[in-house]
């Protein structure tokens, strides 16, 4: 009886996650328009198994946001997320609170270091509004991670993070990605976007003060 009750609650929890929580996590902060847009880099992974578009409004111009994106990486400026959680799993992450000049000229082929396994590579020459990474982290899987800045006004910008994943449709992969990777990715990326927003808005304030 207890086992049947536990199984029932587990089934209910999984169904609630699949039908309610998962769709919201996959589009955290994004508008209906942003969910439908075609972004630079999407052509690299046209038929993903799993896809998310998350976004946040930043009270800063793209020039105050892009420096933080250029220095993403374990070995660079970190991920502006939950550093303590990343260190808990053995990653030496310390998110920077300043722009690091030595990482401001990324080149195609540069690795976005996610951990010991490496990470996706910069897929194209970055510009002022787009940064696109693509790679095969483990055999059989592909990952596109791209960032896009959509100016709303002189001092307001939409920061959009797009993730596309493709992995073999096996039951172990399904359980791993749905049960662990997707929720953790949503938690960390939402915190990362808020972390970038705080840093970019502070940088924009500093730039305005210097120009005054």
């Amino acid at each position: 009886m207890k086992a049947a009750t536990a199984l029932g609650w587990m089934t209910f929890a999984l169904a609630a996650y699949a039908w309610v929580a998962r769709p919201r996590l996959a589009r955290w902060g994004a508008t209906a328009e942003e969910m439908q847009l075609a972004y630079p880099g999407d052509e690299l992974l046209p038929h993903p198994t799993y896809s998310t578009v998350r976004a946040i409004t930043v009270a800063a111009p793209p020039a105050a946001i892009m420096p933080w994106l250029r220095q993403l990486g374990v070995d660079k400026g970190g991920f502006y997320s939950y550093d303590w959680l990343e260190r808990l799993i053995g990653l030496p992450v310390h998110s920077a609170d300043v722009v690091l000049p030595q990482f401001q000229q990324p080149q195609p082929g540069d690795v976005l270091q996610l951990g010991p396994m490496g990470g996706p590579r910069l897929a194209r020459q970055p510009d002022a509004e787009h940064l696109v990474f693509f790679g095969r982290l483990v055999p059989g899987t592909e990952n596109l991670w791209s960032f896009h800045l959509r100016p709303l006004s002189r001092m307001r910008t939409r920061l959009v993070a797009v993730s596309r994943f493709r992995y073999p449709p096996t039951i172990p992969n399904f359980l791993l990605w749905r049960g662990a990777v997707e929720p953790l990715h949503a938690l960390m990326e939402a915190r990362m976007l808020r972390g970038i927003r705080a840093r970019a808005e502070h940088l924009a304030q500093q730039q305005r003060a210097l120009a005054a």
Side-chain angles (χ1 to χ4, degrees):
M1 184 65 178
K2 289 183 178 179
T5 301
L7 180 60
W9 278 109
M10 184 179 299
T11 302
F12 174 79
L14 290 173
Y17 171 73
W19 291 100
V20 180
R22 186 172 182 261
R24 293 184 180 182
L25 292 177
R27 58 169 297 170
W28 182 90
T31 65
E33 178 193 8
E34 287 165 341
M35 292 297 297
Q36 296 301 320
L37 286 176
Y39 294 94
D42 282 355
E43 71 281 358
L44 298 173
L45 195 54
H47 303 293
T49 308
Y50 167 57
S51 180
T52 69
V53 178
R54 300 189 177 102
I56 198 168
T57 299
V58 183
I65 304 172
M66 186 56 75
W68 307 101
L69 296 172
R70 292 191 187 113
Q71 61 189 39
L72 281 171
V74 169
D75 55 340
K76 297 177 183 176
F79 294 103
Y80 322 113
S81 189
Y82 297 106
D83 287 4
W84 65 270
L85 184 56
E86 291 170 320
R87 290 197 290 269
L88 193 65
I89 60 175
L91 298 179
V93 176
H94 298 276
S95 293
D97 291 320
V98 297
V99 173
L100 304 171
Q102 65 270 35
F103 301 127
Q104 294 305 308
Q105 299 296 327
Q107 299 298 315
D110 287 355
V111 175
L112 172 56
Q113 195 77 22
L114 301 179
M117 80 294 287
R121 294 180 178 274
L122 190 61
R124 57 177 62 188
Q125 187 68 40
D127 58 33
E129 297 182 355
H130 307 284
L131 199 61
V132 178
F133 297 94
F134 177 76
R136 297 170 176 84
L137 301 185
V138 295
T141 69
E142 295 177 302
N143 172 213
L144 172 72
W145 200 16
S146 62
F147 301 91
H148 311 277
L149 304 179
R150 305 180 65 220
L152 301 177
S153 65
R154 189 175 66 86
M155 287 302 299
R156 293 178 70 245
T157 304
R158 290 289 282 173
L159 165 57
V160 182
V162 178
S163 295
R164 317 285 193 199
F165 300 93
R166 182 158 58 208
Y167 52 87
T170 64
I171 291 177
N173 273 338
F174 179 85
L175 294 175
L176 173 65
W177 284 80
R178 293 290 178 91
V181 176
E182 290 183 15
L184 183 59
H185 180 232
L187 174 73
M188 300 299 285
E189 188 168 74
R191 180 66 183 89
M192 182 189 75
L193 292 178
R194 293 194 296 265
I196 293 174
R197 177 180 63 183
R199 289 166 172 81
E201 290 179 350
H202 181 66
L203 179 60
Q205 290 174 356
Q206 290 180 319
Q207 292 172 340
R208 288 198 301 271
L210 290 172

